[in-house]
Amino acid sequence: MELHQSWGGSDRCGGAALRNPFVDGVRFVAVVGVVLGHWLVTAFVQGGDGLSVDSPLRWMPGLVPLTWVLQTLGLFFFVGGFASARSETPWWVRLRQLVVPVVVLLGCWVLVFAGLAVRGISQQTVMAVGYIVTTPLWFLGVYVVLLALRPVVRWLDQYSWGVLVPVVLVFFVPYAVWWAAWQLGYALARKRIPGPPLLVGGVVAYLLLVRFGGFPVSAVGIPGAALSNLSPPTFAALALAFAQIGLVLTIAPVLTRLGESSTSRWVNARALPIFLVHQSALVAVSLLVRAPGLSSPPDHPGWVWQRLAWLPVFALVAWGCLPAARWRSWRRAAPRSVPSAPAPAAAERTPVP
């Protein structure tokens, strides 16, 4: 079993590895969204005390709508819930599959920080680098907790109102936003879920929360802003997650074909390693090179085009880092496509498992 199976790319069931092309398509979109989102909105700016973190969203509000598309964490938890419903892998095995590459990654960066300290790099630069490298790891902590809550998720799945429990919990535990998306994914493993109501309801709720609830328009945090929809997640983040889930269910046939493509299969086989190393690739290039689009202030439209030109370099460095973040157990199995779960309501004519 490969590491990516802990993220639902495939799993062992009855001695065979299962794949779901629709879920693979959604996961592909989620991975690409998170990676591009971080690479496009994270900037290191050189100052008198070293590097600091900035964002083009602070200077160019017109880019904010892109965050509604590129902030795809809800989709990650959605496919995670589906994978949990189909999985027979023990919780402790999944925990090990997640912990080992994280420890390897952090160990490498400890060595880098030691080298930076020897070179006399400023404390501000070290703090900025550490923040960017480690911040995404909160995702894995929430993921592990939801895996451990599988008995509760399974019990709630017996009732049509089950998803309302994590929705209400958001009032008290903001990170329950991701549980709600997870619960929907778990439900998809046994029944069809209509996409258009979720899409329309999520969009309307997001607009109302932004207009009348005082929530930020941006789906991600902006340096210097008083509030963020992600730290901690808000009801606006929940509305966006439901809207995105509704959208992918509505266009299920398209995502099924995407999930069957060779590019999607390659990304799905490396989903967790890509998630772990993509920020490290950004940081490595930014530390080694001083150039427009890397260390220049992201305060003008030209910076966006400069940053786009660096994306292939980030991708190449990330690809080179992947072997360090991949880990296989002694047992390996090649995935194969088999029918598994009901199709979304919008894909009744498409053979989506």
Side-chain angles (χ1 to χ4, degrees), residues 35-36 39-40 278 281-282 285 293-294 304-320:
V35 171
L36 288 181
W39 285 354
L40 289 173
H278 77 280
L282 167 66
V285 176
L294 287 179
V304 177
W305 296 106
Q306 295 165 355
R307 175 51 63 96
L308 288 173
W310 283 103
L311 295 187
V313 179
F314 297 157
L316 182 62
V317 174
W319 176 80

Side-chain angles (χ1 to χ4, degrees), residues 3 5 18 38 55 80 86 89 120 147-148 159 189 243 285 287 293 342 344:
L3 169 64
Q5 293 170 356
L18 305 179
H38 283 152
S55 171
R86 306 297 301 179
T89 305
L147 286 174
Y159 306 96
V285 176
L287 288 177

Side-chain angles (χ1 to χ4, degrees), residues 37-70:
H38 283 152
W39 285 354
L40 289 173
V41 305
T42 304
F44 288 100
V45 178
Q46 183 67 50
D49 297 324
L51 295 178
S52 60
V53 180
D54 203 348
S55 171
L57 299 174
R58 186 161 74 97
W59 304 96
M60 293 174 278
L63 298 177
V64 164
L66 289 177
T67 66
W68 307 337
V69 178
L70 298 178

Side-chain angles (χ1 to χ4, degrees), residues 7-339:
W7 276 33
S10 61
D11 201 0
R12 296 186 64 83
C13 184
L18 305 179
R19 296 209 70 94
N20 184 296
F22 168 69
V23 173
D24 281 354
V26 176
R27 187 182 298 102
F28 174 82
V29 170
V31 171
V32 172
V34 165
V35 171
L36 288 181
H38 283 152
W39 285 354
L40 289 173
V41 305
T42 304
F44 288 100
V45 178
Q46 183 67 50
D49 297 324
L51 295 178
S52 60
V53 180
D54 203 348
S55 171
L57 299 174
R58 186 161 74 97
W59 304 96
M60 293 174 278
L63 298 177
V64 164
L66 289 177
T67 66
W68 307 337
V69 178
L70 298 178
Q71 195 283 87
T72 53
L73 289 171
L75 296 182
F76 266 121
F77 286 104
F78 177 65
V79 298
F82 180 94
S84 177
R86 306 297 301 179
S87 174
E88 292 183 350
T89 305
W91 179 83
W92 66 270
V93 173
R94 298 223 170 180
L95 178 61
R96 183 182 62 184
Q97 292 170 335
L98 292 171
V99 167
V100 171
V102 171
V103 171
V104 172
L105 173 71
L106 294 179
C108 292
W109 273 108
V110 167
L111 296 177
V112 172
F113 288 144
L116 293 176
V118 170
R119 291 186 56 189
I121 300 298
S122 70
Q123 182 179 2
Q124 178 174 301
T125 297
V126 173
M127 292 180 62
V129 169
Y131 173 79
I132 294 301
V133 170
T134 60
T135 295
L137 298 183
W138 69 262
F139 174 92
L140 299 180
V142 177
Y143 198 94
V144 169
V145 170
L146 290 173
L147 286 174
L149 288 175
R150 184 178 179 183
V152 179
V153 174
R154 183 192 305 119
W155 179 78
L156 290 176
D157 188 55
Q158 302 176 55
Y159 306 96
S160 58
W161 46 262
V163 72
L164 295 179
V165 172
V167 169
V168 173
L169 278 177
V170 175
F171 282 104
F172 311 99
V173 184
Y175 285 94
V177 164
W178 312 125
W179 181 358
W182 185 280
Q183 194 74 43
L184 283 176
Y186 197 97
L188 183 67
R190 69 173 181 85
K191 64 184 179 182
R192 299 178 187 273
I193 298 178
L198 279 174
L199 172 58
V200 174
V203 169
V204 171
Y206 194 91
L207 294 176
L208 291 176
L209 287 167
V210 168
R211 178 65 178 85
F212 301 105
F215 294 96
V217 178
S218 173
V220 301
I222 300 177
L227 296 175
S228 167
N229 280 320
L230 284 184
S231 301
T234 65
F235 275 102
L238 176 65
L240 178 64
F242 277 19
Q244 291 178 342
I245 292 170
L247 176 61
V248 299
L249 291 172
T250 301
I251 62 172
V254 175
L255 290 175
T256 299
R257 291 190 291 271
L258 176 62
E260 293 170 338
S261 68
S262 57
T263 302
S264 175
R265 288 196 296 269
W266 189 91
V267 170
N268 272 273
R270 298 160 180 83
L272 178 57
I274 290 172
F275 181 84
L276 289 176
V277 307
H278 77 280
Q279 288 286 68
S280 296
L282 167 66
V283 171
V285 176
S286 299
L287 288 177
L288 294 174
V289 181
R290 294 289 185 268
L294 287 179
S295 55
S296 58
D299 56 0
H300 57 94
W303 183 93
V304 177
W305 296 106
Q306 295 165 355
R307 175 51 63 96
L308 288 173
W310 283 103
L311 295 187
V313 179
F314 297 157
L316 182 62
V317 174
W319 176 80
C321 295
L322 286 180
R326 298 195 71 189
W327 175 81
R328 294 172 181 261
S329 64
W330 292 106
R331 300 179 62 184
R332 302 181 183 181
R336 62 182 179 86
S337 297
V338 295

